[in-house]
Amino acid sequence: MNVGDRVFFDTDKSDLTADSREVLEKVAVWMNSYPVATVTVEGHADERGTREYNLALGERRANSVSDYLAALGVNPNRLQTVSFGKEQPAVLGSNEEAWAQNRRGVFKVN
């Protein structure tokens, strides 16, 4: 089942978009099909902003994803969150295209 491994966020936001909620609904179905699987949700930010600001933003993003999955019936004990802020960009570059790819929540099956 291909459910996707990431969702994206708008600039300076941790609110889930409609596209993100659609991906997370598939993730929840997958997780409920594999009840022993645990997932770490990574929160990421683009390069703009201070390290501290981006770590806090990444944390809010990871928590937003985790909270939505829990609301969809995934046991919260199966979800861990971590923020990497701007420290692990998916795409290098200082433009909107790169920034959009770096504002994300990523799922890692443990």
Side-chain angles (χ1 to χ4, degrees):
M1 175 182 231
N2 184 3
V3 298
D5 69 343
R6 65 195 60 214
V7 294
F8 298 96
F9 293 89
D10 293 329
T11 304
D12 293 326
K13 302 287 185 197
S14 58
D15 301 333
L16 297 172
T17 65
D19 289 343
S20 294
R21 286 190 298 275
E22 185 176 313
V23 169
L24 293 176
E25 289 162 9
K26 293 176 184 175
V27 170
V29 168
W30 181 87
M31 289 195 72
N32 288 326
S33 297
Y34 297 92
V36 296
T38 60
V39 170
T40 298
V41 181
E42 300 176 351
H44 298 271
D46 63 38
E47 68 182 1
R48 299 171 292 177
T50 65
R51 181 177 187 278
E52 293 77 18
Y53 176 82
N54 284 324
L55 281 171
L57 180 58
E59 182 176 354
R60 288 192 305 275
R61 289 174 173 167
N63 287 335
S64 181
V65 168
S66 180
D67 291 348
Y68 193 71
L69 288 171
L72 294 172
V74 175
N75 183 336
N77 294 327
R78 297 174 55 207
L79 303 167
Q80 298 176 350
T81 60
V82 63
S83 175
F84 289 105
K86 61 183 177 180
E87 305 304 319
Q88 295 185 0
V91 177
L92 296 178
S94 295
N95 56 56
E96 185 53 45
E97 185 176 303
W99 295 329
Q101 294 297 307
N102 291 328
R103 296 187 304 261
R104 69 199 191 281
V106 179
F107 317 106
K108 301 283 183 164
V109 178
N110 301 328

